Amino acid sequence: ARRRGRSATVGGAPDPQLTDGPGKLCEALAIDRSFNALSLDRPPLLITAGKGPSDSIVSSRRVGLGQVGECAEFPSRFREGES
């Protein structure tokens, strides 16, 4: 929230829009272009399996990428929830 310059809560509940897009998430986690081409299996940017069941993760394509050809249909957005 500090890096985004806003409150982490709205009406006493966590702000669902604090990191609801790739740009917002990168800003919140201080991920910039210096991370380009780094491996994701070791620090400083380590991605590991979550603790929840894998069927709770829903994927979808990114909106507004129609101009990128075949990549427009790649699953690029991931979230917890129902499909």
Side-chain angles (χ1 to χ4, degrees):
R2 178 181 44 79
R3 287 188 187 115
R4 298 250 11 263
R6 55 186 294 154
S7 174
T9 61
V10 175
D15 181 359
Q17 296 180 341
L18 189 62
T19 58
D20 68 346
K24 292 178 183 181
L25 181 63
C26 286
E27 183 177 38
L29 297 177
I31 297 171
D32 59 23
R33 291 182 188 266
S34 69
F35 286 78
N36 285 2
L38 291 180
S39 177
L40 301 178
D41 64 356
R42 60 183 159 270
L45 187 59
L46 177 64
I47 297 178
T48 62
K51 296 181 188 269
S54 61
D55 60 353
S56 70
I57 305 298
V58 176
S59 67
S60 62
R61 66 181 190 85
R62 284 284 311 278
V63 175
L65 293 183
Q67 72 279 7
V68 295
E70 69 178 273
C71 298
E73 298 302 318
F74 288 0
S76 303
R77 298 183 69 106
F78 302 88
R79 64 178 173 82
E80 279 189 290
E82 297 178 24
S83 53

